[in-house]
mmCIF file with all atom_site columns, all heavy atoms in Angstrom:
data_model
loop_
_atom_site.group_PDB
_atom_site.id
_atom_site.type_symbol
_atom_site.label_atom_id
_atom_site.label_alt_id
_atom_site.label_comp_id
_atom_site.label_asym_id
_atom_site.label_entity_id
_atom_site.label_seq_id
_atom_site.pdbx_PDB_ins_code
_atom_site.Cartn_x
_atom_site.Cartn_y
_atom_site.Cartn_z
_atom_site.occupancy
_atom_site.B_iso_or_equiv
_atom_site.pdbx_formal_charge
_atom_site.auth_seq_id
_atom_site.auth_comp_id
_atom_site.auth_asym_id
_atom_site.auth_atom_id
_atom_site.pdbx_PDB_model_num
ATOM 1   N N   . ILE A 1 1  ? 0.826  -1.229 0.016   1.00 70.00 ? 1  ILE A N   1
ATOM 2   C CA  . ILE A 1 1  ? -0.004 0.003  -0.008  1.00 70.00 ? 1  ILE A CA  1
ATOM 3   C C   . ILE A 1 1  ? 0.856  1.218  -0.029  1.00 70.00 ? 1  ILE A C   1
ATOM 4   O O   . ILE A 1 1  ? 0.609  2.179  -0.810  1.00 70.00 ? 1  ILE A O   1
ATOM 5   C CB  . ILE A 1 1  ? -0.968 -0.012 1.250   1.00 70.00 ? 1  ILE A CB  1
ATOM 6   C CG1 . ILE A 1 1  ? -1.942 -1.180 1.066   1.00 70.00 ? 1  ILE A CG1 1
ATOM 7   C CG2 . ILE A 1 1  ? -1.643 1.334  1.325   1.00 70.00 ? 1  ILE A CG2 1
ATOM 8   C CD1 . ILE A 1 1  ? -2.878 -1.312 2.243   1.00 70.00 ? 1  ILE A CD1 1
ATOM 9   N N   . ILE A 1 2  ? 1.883  1.299  0.815   1.00 71.00 ? 2  ILE A N   1
ATOM 10  C CA  . ILE A 1 2  ? 2.783  2.444  0.858   1.00 71.00 ? 2  ILE A CA  1
ATOM 11  C C   . ILE A 1 2  ? 3.542  2.569  -0.467  1.00 71.00 ? 2  ILE A C   1
ATOM 12  O O   . ILE A 1 2  ? 3.687  3.668  -0.999  1.00 71.00 ? 2  ILE A O   1
ATOM 13  C CB  . ILE A 1 2  ? 3.838  2.261  2.054   1.00 71.00 ? 2  ILE A CB  1
ATOM 14  C CG1 . ILE A 1 2  ? 3.100  2.194  3.360   1.00 71.00 ? 2  ILE A CG1 1
ATOM 15  C CG2 . ILE A 1 2  ? 4.839  3.393  2.019   1.00 71.00 ? 2  ILE A CG2 1
ATOM 16  C CD1 . ILE A 1 2  ? 4.003  2.005  4.568   1.00 71.00 ? 2  ILE A CD1 1
ATOM 17  N N   . SER A 1 3  ? 3.970  1.458  -1.079  1.00 69.00 ? 3  SER A N   1
ATOM 18  C CA  . SER A 1 3  ? 4.600  1.465  -2.354  1.00 69.00 ? 3  SER A CA  1
ATOM 19  C C   . SER A 1 3  ? 3.708  2.057  -3.457  1.00 69.00 ? 3  SER A C   1
ATOM 20  O O   . SER A 1 3  ? 4.101  2.912  -4.213  1.00 69.00 ? 3  SER A O   1
ATOM 21  C CB  . SER A 1 3  ? 5.069  0.065  -2.761  1.00 69.00 ? 3  SER A CB  1
ATOM 22  O OG  . SER A 1 3  ? 5.648  0.052  -4.035  1.00 69.00 ? 3  SER A OG  1
ATOM 23  N N   . ALA A 1 4  ? 2.438  1.607  -3.468  1.00 70.00 ? 4  ALA A N   1
ATOM 24  C CA  . ALA A 1 4  ? 1.507  2.068  -4.445  1.00 70.00 ? 4  ALA A CA  1
ATOM 25  C C   . ALA A 1 4  ? 1.234  3.547  -4.291  1.00 70.00 ? 4  ALA A C   1
ATOM 26  O O   . ALA A 1 4  ? 1.087  4.365  -5.197  1.00 70.00 ? 4  ALA A O   1
ATOM 27  C CB  . ALA A 1 4  ? 0.155  1.314  -4.430  1.00 70.00 ? 4  ALA A CB  1
ATOM 28  N N   . PHE A 1 5  ? 1.153  3.960  -3.010  1.00 64.00 ? 5  PHE A N   1
ATOM 29  C CA  . PHE A 1 5  ? 0.916  5.355  -2.658  1.00 64.00 ? 5  PHE A CA  1
ATOM 30  C C   . PHE A 1 5  ? 2.060  6.220  -3.270  1.00 64.00 ? 5  PHE A C   1
ATOM 31  O O   . PHE A 1 5  ? 1.871  7.287  -3.885  1.00 64.00 ? 5  PHE A O   1
ATOM 32  C CB  . PHE A 1 5  ? 0.889  5.522  -1.189  1.00 64.00 ? 5  PHE A CB  1
ATOM 33  C CG  . PHE A 1 5  ? 0.773  7.017  -0.685  1.00 64.00 ? 5  PHE A CG  1
ATOM 34  C CD1 . PHE A 1 5  ? -0.410 7.663  -0.614  1.00 64.00 ? 5  PHE A CD1 1
ATOM 35  C CD2 . PHE A 1 5  ? 1.956  7.697  -0.344  1.00 64.00 ? 5  PHE A CD2 1
ATOM 36  C CE1 . PHE A 1 5  ? -0.472 8.979  -0.100  1.00 64.00 ? 5  PHE A CE1 1
ATOM 37  C CE2 . PHE A 1 5  ? 1.897  8.981  0.066   1.00 64.00 ? 5  PHE A CE2 1
ATOM 38  C CZ  . PHE A 1 5  ? 0.696  9.638  0.191   1.00 64.00 ? 5  PHE A CZ  1
ATOM 39  N N   . LEU A 1 6  ? 3.301  5.830  -2.979  1.00 64.00 ? 6  LEU A N   1
ATOM 40  C CA  . LEU A 1 6  ? 4.495  6.589  -3.497  1.00 64.00 ? 6  LEU A CA  1
ATOM 41  C C   . LEU A 1 6  ? 4.568  6.630  -4.993  1.00 64.00 ? 6  LEU A C   1
ATOM 42  O O   . LEU A 1 6  ? 4.828  7.635  -5.651  1.00 64.00 ? 6  LEU A O   1
ATOM 43  C CB  . LEU A 1 6  ? 5.753  5.981  -2.911  1.00 64.00 ? 6  LEU A CB  1
ATOM 44  C CG  . LEU A 1 6  ? 6.018  6.195  -1.408  1.00 64.00 ? 6  LEU A CG  1
ATOM 45  C CD1 . LEU A 1 6  ? 7.238  5.366  -0.962  1.00 64.00 ? 6  LEU A CD1 1
ATOM 46  C CD2 . LEU A 1 6  ? 6.185  7.685  -1.111  1.00 64.00 ? 6  LEU A CD2 1
ATOM 47  N N   . PHE A 1 7  ? 4.199  5.461  -5.583  1.00 59.00 ? 7  PHE A N   1
ATOM 48  C CA  . PHE A 1 7  ? 4.228  5.435  -7.077  1.00 59.00 ? 7  PHE A CA  1
ATOM 49  C C   . PHE A 1 7  ? 3.150  6.427  -7.638  1.00 59.00 ? 7  PHE A C   1
ATOM 50  O O   . PHE A 1 7  ? 3.527  7.260  -8.557  1.00 59.00 ? 7  PHE A O   1
ATOM 51  C CB  . PHE A 1 7  ? 3.806  4.021  -7.544  1.00 59.00 ? 7  PHE A CB  1
ATOM 52  C CG  . PHE A 1 7  ? 4.938  3.160  -8.023  1.00 59.00 ? 7  PHE A CG  1
ATOM 53  C CD1 . PHE A 1 7  ? 5.386  2.116  -7.224  1.00 59.00 ? 7  PHE A CD1 1
ATOM 54  C CD2 . PHE A 1 7  ? 5.620  3.497  -9.174  1.00 59.00 ? 7  PHE A CD2 1
ATOM 55  C CE1 . PHE A 1 7  ? 6.443  1.299  -7.673  1.00 59.00 ? 7  PHE A CE1 1
ATOM 56  C CE2 . PHE A 1 7  ? 6.691  2.700  -9.545  1.00 59.00 ? 7  PHE A CE2 1
ATOM 57  C CZ  . PHE A 1 7  ? 7.079  1.603  -8.843  1.00 59.00 ? 7  PHE A CZ  1
ATOM 58  N N   . TYR A 1 8  ? 1.946  6.379  -7.137  1.00 63.00 ? 8  TYR A N   1
ATOM 59  C CA  . TYR A 1 8  ? 0.855  7.170  -7.609  1.00 63.00 ? 8  TYR A CA  1
ATOM 60  C C   . TYR A 1 8  ? 1.205  8.676  -7.494  1.00 63.00 ? 8  TYR A C   1
ATOM 61  O O   . TYR A 1 8  ? 1.207  9.474  -8.515  1.00 63.00 ? 8  TYR A O   1
ATOM 62  C CB  . TYR A 1 8  ? -0.405 6.870  -7.007  1.00 63.00 ? 8  TYR A CB  1
ATOM 63  C CG  . TYR A 1 8  ? -1.599 7.803  -7.392  1.00 63.00 ? 8  TYR A CG  1
ATOM 64  C CD1 . TYR A 1 8  ? -2.168 7.691  -8.562  1.00 63.00 ? 8  TYR A CD1 1
ATOM 65  C CD2 . TYR A 1 8  ? -1.979 8.843  -6.497  1.00 63.00 ? 8  TYR A CD2 1
ATOM 66  C CE1 . TYR A 1 8  ? -3.215 8.531  -8.951  1.00 63.00 ? 8  TYR A CE1 1
ATOM 67  C CE2 . TYR A 1 8  ? -2.968 9.699  -6.821  1.00 63.00 ? 8  TYR A CE2 1
ATOM 68  C CZ  . TYR A 1 8  ? -3.683 9.559  -8.038  1.00 63.00 ? 8  TYR A CZ  1
ATOM 69  O OH  . TYR A 1 8  ? -4.602 10.414 -8.386  1.00 63.00 ? 8  TYR A OH  1
ATOM 70  N N   . PHE A 1 9  ? 1.518  9.082  -6.299  1.00 64.00 ? 9  PHE A N   1
ATOM 71  C CA  . PHE A 1 9  ? 1.768  10.520 -6.072  1.00 64.00 ? 9  PHE A CA  1
ATOM 72  C C   . PHE A 1 9  ? 3.047  11.043 -6.648  1.00 64.00 ? 9  PHE A C   1
ATOM 73  O O   . PHE A 1 9  ? 3.203  12.217 -7.020  1.00 64.00 ? 9  PHE A O   1
ATOM 74  C CB  . PHE A 1 9  ? 1.673  10.818 -4.577  1.00 64.00 ? 9  PHE A CB  1
ATOM 75  C CG  . PHE A 1 9  ? 0.324  10.795 -4.016  1.00 64.00 ? 9  PHE A CG  1
ATOM 76  C CD1 . PHE A 1 9  ? -0.259 9.779  -3.346  1.00 64.00 ? 9  PHE A CD1 1
ATOM 77  C CD2 . PHE A 1 9  ? -0.540 11.893 -4.231  1.00 64.00 ? 9  PHE A CD2 1
ATOM 78  C CE1 . PHE A 1 9  ? -1.553 9.668  -2.906  1.00 64.00 ? 9  PHE A CE1 1
ATOM 79  C CE2 . PHE A 1 9  ? -1.817 11.957 -3.761  1.00 64.00 ? 9  PHE A CE2 1
ATOM 80  C CZ  . PHE A 1 9  ? -2.346 10.790 -3.116  1.00 64.00 ? 9  PHE A CZ  1
ATOM 81  N N   . GLY A 1 10 ? 4.081  10.118 -6.700  1.00 64.00 ? 10 GLY A N   1
ATOM 82  C CA  . GLY A 1 10 ? 5.347  10.453 -7.385  1.00 64.00 ? 10 GLY A CA  1
ATOM 83  C C   . GLY A 1 10 ? 5.156  10.673 -8.841  1.00 64.00 ? 10 GLY A C   1
ATOM 84  O O   . GLY A 1 10 ? 5.635  11.660 -9.452  1.00 64.00 ? 10 GLY A O   1
ATOM 85  N N   . TYR A 1 11 ? 4.357  9.811  -9.506  1.00 65.00 ? 11 TYR A N   1
ATOM 86  C CA  . TYR A 1 11 ? 4.151  9.935  -10.939 1.00 65.00 ? 11 TYR A CA  1
ATOM 87  C C   . TYR A 1 11 ? 3.311  11.239 -11.190 1.00 65.00 ? 11 TYR A C   1
ATOM 88  O O   . TYR A 1 11 ? 3.566  11.945 -12.145 1.00 65.00 ? 11 TYR A O   1
ATOM 89  C CB  . TYR A 1 11 ? 3.310  8.699  -11.401 1.00 65.00 ? 11 TYR A CB  1
ATOM 90  C CG  . TYR A 1 11 ? 2.889  8.832  -12.882 1.00 65.00 ? 11 TYR A CG  1
ATOM 91  C CD1 . TYR A 1 11 ? 3.809  8.562  -13.933 1.00 65.00 ? 11 TYR A CD1 1
ATOM 92  C CD2 . TYR A 1 11 ? 1.604  9.289  -13.222 1.00 65.00 ? 11 TYR A CD2 1
ATOM 93  C CE1 . TYR A 1 11 ? 3.400  8.649  -15.275 1.00 65.00 ? 11 TYR A CE1 1
ATOM 94  C CE2 . TYR A 1 11 ? 1.266  9.373  -14.564 1.00 65.00 ? 11 TYR A CE2 1
ATOM 95  C CZ  . TYR A 1 11 ? 2.091  9.088  -15.550 1.00 65.00 ? 11 TYR A CZ  1
ATOM 96  O OH  . TYR A 1 11 ? 1.669  9.237  -16.879 1.00 65.00 ? 11 TYR A OH  1
ATOM 97  N N   . LYS A 1 12 ? 2.301  11.476 -10.361 1.00 68.00 ? 12 LYS A N   1
ATOM 98  C CA  . LYS A 1 12 ? 1.505  12.632 -10.505 1.00 68.00 ? 12 LYS A CA  1
ATOM 99  C C   . LYS A 1 12 ? 2.323  13.932 -10.356 1.00 68.00 ? 12 LYS A C   1
ATOM 100 O O   . LYS A 1 12 ? 2.168  14.884 -11.084 1.00 68.00 ? 12 LYS A O   1
ATOM 101 C CB  . LYS A 1 12 ? 0.363  12.640 -9.492  1.00 68.00 ? 12 LYS A CB  1
ATOM 102 C CG  . LYS A 1 12 ? -0.672 13.734 -9.728  1.00 68.00 ? 12 LYS A CG  1
ATOM 103 C CD  . LYS A 1 12 ? -1.862 13.543 -8.768  1.00 68.00 ? 12 LYS A CD  1
ATOM 104 C CE  . LYS A 1 12 ? -2.949 14.580 -8.976  1.00 68.00 ? 12 LYS A CE  1
ATOM 105 N NZ  . LYS A 1 12 ? -4.089 14.431 -8.092  1.00 68.00 ? 12 LYS A NZ  1
ATOM 106 N N   . LYS A 1 13 ? 3.239  13.916 -9.386  1.00 66.00 ? 13 LYS A N   1
ATOM 107 C CA  . LYS A 1 13 ? 4.071  15.060 -9.135  1.00 66.00 ? 13 LYS A CA  1
ATOM 108 C C   . LYS A 1 13 ? 5.030  15.337 -10.375 1.00 66.00 ? 13 LYS A C   1
ATOM 109 O O   . LYS A 1 13 ? 5.185  16.455 -10.826 1.00 66.00 ? 13 LYS A O   1
ATOM 110 C CB  . LYS A 1 13 ? 4.921  14.934 -7.896  1.00 66.00 ? 13 LYS A CB  1
ATOM 111 C CG  . LYS A 1 13 ? 5.770  16.148 -7.500  1.00 66.00 ? 13 LYS A CG  1
ATOM 112 C CD  . LYS A 1 13 ? 6.522  15.933 -6.242  1.00 66.00 ? 13 LYS A CD  1
ATOM 113 C CE  . LYS A 1 13 ? 5.589  16.099 -5.071  1.00 66.00 ? 13 LYS A CE  1
ATOM 114 N NZ  . LYS A 1 13 ? 5.180  17.472 -4.838  1.00 66.00 ? 13 LYS A NZ  1
ATOM 115 N N   . VAL A 1 14 ? 5.547  14.303 -10.928 1.00 64.00 ? 14 VAL A N   1
ATOM 116 C CA  . VAL A 1 14 ? 6.472  14.363 -12.087 1.00 64.00 ? 14 VAL A CA  1
ATOM 117 C C   . VAL A 1 14 ? 5.691  14.933 -13.247 1.00 64.00 ? 14 VAL A C   1
ATOM 118 O O   . VAL A 1 14 ? 6.168  15.767 -14.012 1.00 64.00 ? 14 VAL A O   1
ATOM 119 C CB  . VAL A 1 14 ? 7.190  12.974 -12.376 1.00 64.00 ? 14 VAL A CB  1
ATOM 120 C CG1 . VAL A 1 14 ? 7.873  13.068 -13.757 1.00 64.00 ? 14 VAL A CG1 1
ATOM 121 C CG2 . VAL A 1 14 ? 8.203  12.683 -11.315 1.00 64.00 ? 14 VAL A CG2 1
ATOM 122 N N   . SER A 1 15 ? 4.483  14.318 -13.531 1.00 69.00 ? 15 SER A N   1
ATOM 123 C CA  . SER A 1 15 ? 3.679  14.716 -14.656 1.00 69.00 ? 15 SER A CA  1
ATOM 124 C C   . SER A 1 15 ? 3.269  16.215 -14.575 1.00 69.00 ? 15 SER A C   1
ATOM 125 O O   . SER A 1 15 ? 3.437  16.922 -15.576 1.00 69.00 ? 15 SER A O   1
ATOM 126 C CB  . SER A 1 15 ? 2.418  13.842 -14.708 1.00 69.00 ? 15 SER A CB  1
ATOM 127 O OG  . SER A 1 15 ? 1.621  14.197 -15.807 1.00 69.00 ? 15 SER A OG  1
ATOM 128 N N   . ASN A 1 16 ? 2.854  16.594 -13.422 1.00 68.00 ? 16 ASN A N   1
ATOM 129 C CA  . ASN A 1 16 ? 2.464  17.976 -13.235 1.00 68.00 ? 16 ASN A CA  1
ATOM 130 C C   . ASN A 1 16 ? 3.677  18.932 -13.393 1.00 68.00 ? 16 ASN A C   1
ATOM 131 O O   . ASN A 1 16 ? 3.597  20.019 -13.997 1.00 68.00 ? 16 ASN A O   1
ATOM 132 C CB  . ASN A 1 16 ? 1.740  18.268 -11.936 1.00 68.00 ? 16 ASN A CB  1
ATOM 133 C CG  . ASN A 1 16 ? 0.416  17.615 -11.855 1.00 68.00 ? 16 ASN A CG  1
ATOM 134 O OD1 . ASN A 1 16 ? -0.248 17.306 -12.864 1.00 68.00 ? 16 ASN A OD1 1
ATOM 135 N ND2 . ASN A 1 16 ? -0.046 17.317 -10.611 1.00 68.00 ? 16 ASN A ND2 1
ATOM 136 N N   . ALA A 1 17 ? 4.733  18.536 -12.812 1.00 66.00 ? 17 ALA A N   1
ATOM 137 C CA  . ALA A 1 17 ? 6.017  19.356 -12.907 1.00 66.00 ? 17 ALA A CA  1
ATOM 138 C C   . ALA A 1 17 ? 6.476  19.520 -14.354 1.00 66.00 ? 17 ALA A C   1
ATOM 139 O O   . ALA A 1 17 ? 6.924  20.532 -14.800 1.00 66.00 ? 17 ALA A O   1
ATOM 140 C CB  . ALA A 1 17 ? 7.068  18.798 -11.983 1.00 66.00 ? 17 ALA A CB  1
ATOM 141 N N   . LYS A 1 18 ? 6.395  18.381 -15.142 1.00 72.00 ? 18 LYS A N   1
ATOM 142 C CA  . LYS A 1 18 ? 6.780  18.454 -16.472 1.00 72.00 ? 18 LYS A CA  1
ATOM 143 C C   . LYS A 1 18 ? 5.928  19.483 -17.278 1.00 72.00 ? 18 LYS A C   1
ATOM 144 O O   . LYS A 1 18 ? 6.475  20.252 -18.057 1.00 72.00 ? 18 LYS A O   1
ATOM 145 C CB  . LYS A 1 18 ? 6.694  17.077 -17.120 1.00 72.00 ? 18 LYS A CB  1
ATOM 146 C CG  . LYS A 1 18 ? 7.107  16.986 -18.559 1.00 72.00 ? 18 LYS A CG  1
ATOM 147 C CD  . LYS A 1 18 ? 7.034  15.581 -19.106 1.00 72.00 ? 18 LYS A CD  1
ATOM 148 C CE  . LYS A 1 18 ? 7.508  15.505 -20.570 1.00 72.00 ? 18 LYS A CE  1
ATOM 149 N NZ  . LYS A 1 18 ? 7.360  14.154 -21.103 1.00 72.00 ? 18 LYS A NZ  1
ATOM 150 N N   . LYS A 1 19 ? 4.597  19.345 -17.020 1.00 76.00 ? 19 LYS A N   1
ATOM 151 C CA  . LYS A 1 19 ? 3.706  20.288 -17.747 1.00 76.00 ? 19 LYS A CA  1
ATOM 152 C C   . LYS A 1 19 ? 3.960  21.697 -17.337 1.00 76.00 ? 19 LYS A C   1
ATOM 153 O O   . LYS A 1 19 ? 4.056  22.629 -18.182 1.00 76.00 ? 19 LYS A O   1
ATOM 154 C CB  . LYS A 1 19 ? 2.272  19.922 -17.387 1.00 76.00 ? 19 LYS A CB  1
ATOM 155 C CG  . LYS A 1 19 ? 1.221  20.784 -18.137 1.00 76.00 ? 19 LYS A CG  1
ATOM 156 C CD  . LYS A 1 19 ? -0.210 20.316 -17.769 1.00 76.00 ? 19 LYS A CD  1
ATOM 157 C CE  . LYS A 1 19 ? -1.175 21.307 -18.438 1.00 76.00 ? 19 LYS A CE  1
ATOM 158 N NZ  . LYS A 1 19 ? -2.607 20.825 -18.131 1.00 76.00 ? 19 LYS A NZ  1
ATOM 159 N N   . ASP A 1 20 ? 4.157  21.981 -16.058 1.00 75.00 ? 20 ASP A N   1
ATOM 160 C CA  . ASP A 1 20 ? 4.379  23.252 -15.581 1.00 75.00 ? 20 ASP A CA  1
ATOM 161 C C   . ASP A 1 20 ? 5.732  23.887 -16.050 1.00 75.00 ? 20 ASP A C   1
ATOM 162 O O   . ASP A 1 20 ? 5.902  25.025 -16.435 1.00 75.00 ? 20 ASP A O   1
ATOM 163 C CB  . ASP A 1 20 ? 4.373  23.335 -14.036 1.00 75.00 ? 20 ASP A CB  1
ATOM 164 C CG  . ASP A 1 20 ? 3.008  23.105 -13.460 1.00 75.00 ? 20 ASP A CG  1
ATOM 165 O OD1 . ASP A 1 20 ? 2.028  23.218 -14.222 1.00 75.00 ? 20 ASP A OD1 1
ATOM 166 O OD2 . ASP A 1 20 ? 2.921  22.819 -12.264 1.00 75.00 ? 20 ASP A OD2 1
ATOM 167 N N   . LEU A 1 21 ? 6.755  22.951 -16.126 1.00 77.00 ? 21 LEU A N   1
ATOM 168 C CA  . LEU A 1 21 ? 8.105  23.353 -16.551 1.00 77.00 ? 21 LEU A CA  1
ATOM 169 C C   . LEU A 1 21 ? 8.102  23.732 -18.017 1.00 77.00 ? 21 LEU A C   1
ATOM 170 O O   . LEU A 1 21 ? 8.742  24.706 -18.412 1.00 77.00 ? 21 LEU A O   1
ATOM 171 C CB  . LEU A 1 21 ? 9.067  22.193 -16.302 1.00 77.00 ? 21 LEU A CB  1
ATOM 172 C CG  . LEU A 1 21 ? 10.604 22.550 -16.472 1.00 77.00 ? 21 LEU A CG  1
ATOM 173 C CD1 . LEU A 1 21 ? 11.005 23.706 -15.600 1.00 77.00 ? 21 LEU A CD1 1
ATOM 174 C CD2 . LEU A 1 21 ? 11.409 21.306 -16.132 1.00 77.00 ? 21 LEU A CD2 1
ATOM 175 N N   . ARG A 1 22 ? 7.392  22.976 -18.851 1.00 79.00 ? 22 ARG A N   1
ATOM 176 C CA  . ARG A 1 22 ? 7.254  23.273 -20.260 1.00 79.00 ? 22 ARG A CA  1
ATOM 177 C C   . ARG A 1 22 ? 6.622  24.621 -20.497 1.00 79.00 ? 22 ARG A C   1
ATOM 178 O O   . ARG A 1 22 ? 7.168  25.441 -21.263 1.00 79.00 ? 22 ARG A O   1
ATOM 179 C CB  . ARG A 1 22 ? 6.463  22.183 -20.948 1.00 79.00 ? 22 ARG A CB  1
ATOM 180 C CG  . ARG A 1 22 ? 6.211  22.490 -22.457 1.00 79.00 ? 22 ARG A CG  1
ATOM 181 C CD  . ARG A 1 22 ? 5.426  21.260 -23.028 1.00 79.00 ? 22 ARG A CD  1
ATOM 182 N NE  . ARG A 1 22 ? 4.989  21.578 -24.431 1.00 79.00 ? 22 ARG A NE  1
ATOM 183 C CZ  . ARG A 1 22 ? 3.863  22.224 -24.700 1.00 79.00 ? 22 ARG A CZ  1
ATOM 184 N NH1 . ARG A 1 22 ? 3.023  22.531 -23.767 1.00 79.00 ? 22 ARG A NH1 1
ATOM 185 N NH2 . ARG A 1 22 ? 3.583  22.469 -25.999 1.00 79.00 ? 22 ARG A NH2 1
ATOM 186 N N   . LEU A 1 23 ? 5.506  24.908 -19.760 1.00 81.00 ? 23 LEU A N   1
ATOM 187 C CA  . LEU A 1 23 ? 4.816  26.165 -19.852 1.00 81.00 ? 23 LEU A CA  1
ATOM 188 C C   . LEU A 1 23 ? 5.693  27.358 -19.375 1.00 81.00 ? 23 LEU A C   1
ATOM 189 O O   . LEU A 1 23 ? 5.697  28.459 -20.013 1.00 81.00 ? 23 LEU A O   1
ATOM 190 C CB  . LEU A 1 23 ? 3.440  26.112 -19.180 1.00 81.00 ? 23 LEU A CB  1
ATOM 191 C CG  . LEU A 1 23 ? 2.417  25.183 -19.836 1.00 81.00 ? 23 LEU A CG  1
ATOM 192 C CD1 . LEU A 1 23 ? 1.138  25.184 -18.868 1.00 81.00 ? 23 LEU A CD1 1
ATOM 193 C CD2 . LEU A 1 23 ? 2.061  25.699 -21.225 1.00 81.00 ? 23 LEU A CD2 1
ATOM 194 N N   . LEU A 1 24 ? 6.383  27.086 -18.324 1.00 82.00 ? 24 LEU A N   1
ATOM 195 C CA  . LEU A 1 24 ? 7.247  28.071 -17.723 1.00 82.00 ? 24 LEU A CA  1
ATOM 196 C C   . LEU A 1 24 ? 8.410  28.438 -18.678 1.00 82.00 ? 24 LEU A C   1
ATOM 197 O O   . LEU A 1 24 ? 8.778  29.636 -18.870 1.00 82.00 ? 24 LEU A O   1
ATOM 198 C CB  . LEU A 1 24 ? 7.841  27.636 -16.390 1.00 82.00 ? 24 LEU A CB  1
ATOM 199 C CG  . LEU A 1 24 ? 8.736  28.647 -15.674 1.00 82.00 ? 24 LEU A CG  1
ATOM 200 C CD1 . LEU A 1 24 ? 8.041  30.002 -15.363 1.00 82.00 ? 24 LEU A CD1 1
ATOM 201 C CD2 . LEU A 1 24 ? 9.286  28.056 -14.350 1.00 82.00 ? 24 LEU A CD2 1
ATOM 202 N N   . TYR A 1 25 ? 8.983  27.423 -19.287 1.00 83.00 ? 25 TYR A N   1
ATOM 203 C CA  . TYR A 1 25 ? 10.012 27.687 -20.271 1.00 83.00 ? 25 TYR A CA  1
ATOM 204 C C   . TYR A 1 25 ? 9.521  28.562 -21.406 1.00 83.00 ? 25 TYR A C   1
ATOM 205 O O   . TYR A 1 25 ? 10.163 29.541 -21.836 1.00 83.00 ? 25 TYR A O   1
ATOM 206 C CB  . TYR A 1 25 ? 10.484 26.342 -20.845 1.00 83.00 ? 25 TYR A CB  1
ATOM 207 C CG  . TYR A 1 25 ? 11.468 26.515 -21.976 1.00 83.00 ? 25 TYR A CG  1
ATOM 208 C CD1 . TYR A 1 25 ? 12.842 26.565 -21.738 1.00 83.00 ? 25 TYR A CD1 1
ATOM 209 C CD2 . TYR A 1 25 ? 11.096 26.581 -23.286 1.00 83.00 ? 25 TYR A CD2 1
ATOM 210 C CE1 . TYR A 1 25 ? 13.797 26.711 -22.783 1.00 83.00 ? 25 TYR A CE1 1
ATOM 211 C CE2 . TYR A 1 25 ? 11.922 26.778 -24.362 1.00 83.00 ? 25 TYR A CE2 1
ATOM 212 C CZ  . TYR A 1 25 ? 13.338 26.815 -24.115 1.00 83.00 ? 25 TYR A CZ  1
ATOM 213 O OH  . TYR A 1 25 ? 14.210 27.004 -25.089 1.00 83.00 ? 25 TYR A OH  1
ATOM 214 N N   . LYS A 1 26 ? 8.296  28.260 -21.887 1.00 84.00 ? 26 LYS A N   1
ATOM 215 C CA  . LYS A 1 26 ? 7.747  29.004 -23.034 1.00 84.00 ? 26 LYS A CA  1
ATOM 216 C C   . LYS A 1 26 ? 7.425  30.437 -22.546 1.00 84.00 ? 26 LYS A C   1
ATOM 217 O O   . LYS A 1 26 ? 7.535  31.393 -23.393 1.00 84.00 ? 26 LYS A O   1
ATOM 218 C CB  . LYS A 1 26 ? 6.459  28.323 -23.530 1.00 84.00 ? 26 LYS A CB  1
ATOM 219 C CG  . LYS A 1 26 ? 6.733  27.064 -24.339 1.00 84.00 ? 26 LYS A CG  1
ATOM 220 C CD  . LYS A 1 26 ? 5.489  26.371 -24.729 1.00 84.00 ? 26 LYS A CD  1
ATOM 221 C CE  . LYS A 1 26 ? 5.824  25.100 -25.485 1.00 84.00 ? 26 LYS A CE  1
ATOM 222 N NZ  . LYS A 1 26 ? 6.294  25.284 -26.818 1.00 84.00 ? 26 LYS A NZ  1
ATOM 223 N N   . GLN A 1 27 ? 7.031  30.610 -21.315 1.00 84.00 ? 27 GLN A N   1
ATOM 224 C CA  . GLN A 1 27 ? 6.719  31.992 -20.791 1.00 84.00 ? 27 GLN A CA  1
ATOM 225 C C   . GLN A 1 27 ? 7.987  32.744 -20.755 1.00 84.00 ? 27 GLN A C   1
ATOM 226 O O   . GLN A 1 27 ? 7.980  33.935 -21.154 1.00 84.00 ? 27 GLN A O   1
ATOM 227 C CB  . GLN A 1 27 ? 6.111  31.878 -19.440 1.00 84.00 ? 27 GLN A CB  1
ATOM 228 C CG  . GLN A 1 27 ? 5.824  33.244 -18.765 1.00 84.00 ? 27 GLN A CG  1
ATOM 229 C CD  . GLN A 1 27 ? 5.383  33.175 -17.357 1.00 84.00 ? 27 GLN A CD  1
ATOM 230 O OE1 . GLN A 1 27 ? 4.932  32.099 -16.926 1.00 84.00 ? 27 GLN A OE1 1
ATOM 231 N NE2 . GLN A 1 27 ? 5.436  34.202 -16.642 1.00 84.00 ? 27 GLN A NE2 1
#
């Protein structure tokens, strides 16, 4: 359960950061 929790929220954090970083670069 802890492993799945870390996977899910880690993936979500990376995905959101990638999107935000791309938009910030363009800005």
Side-chain angles (χ1 to χ4, degrees):
I1 294 177
I2 298 174
S3 175
F5 174 88
L6 289 173
F7 258 111
Y8 174 77
F9 285 99
Y11 176 81
K12 190 172 182 180
K13 184 178 283 291
V14 170
S15 179
N16 289 339
K18 182 179 179 181
K19 181 179 179 181
D20 291 346
L21 189 56
R22 175 178 173 270
L23 291 175
L24 180 58
Y25 174 91
K26 289 177 181 288
Q27 178 186 341

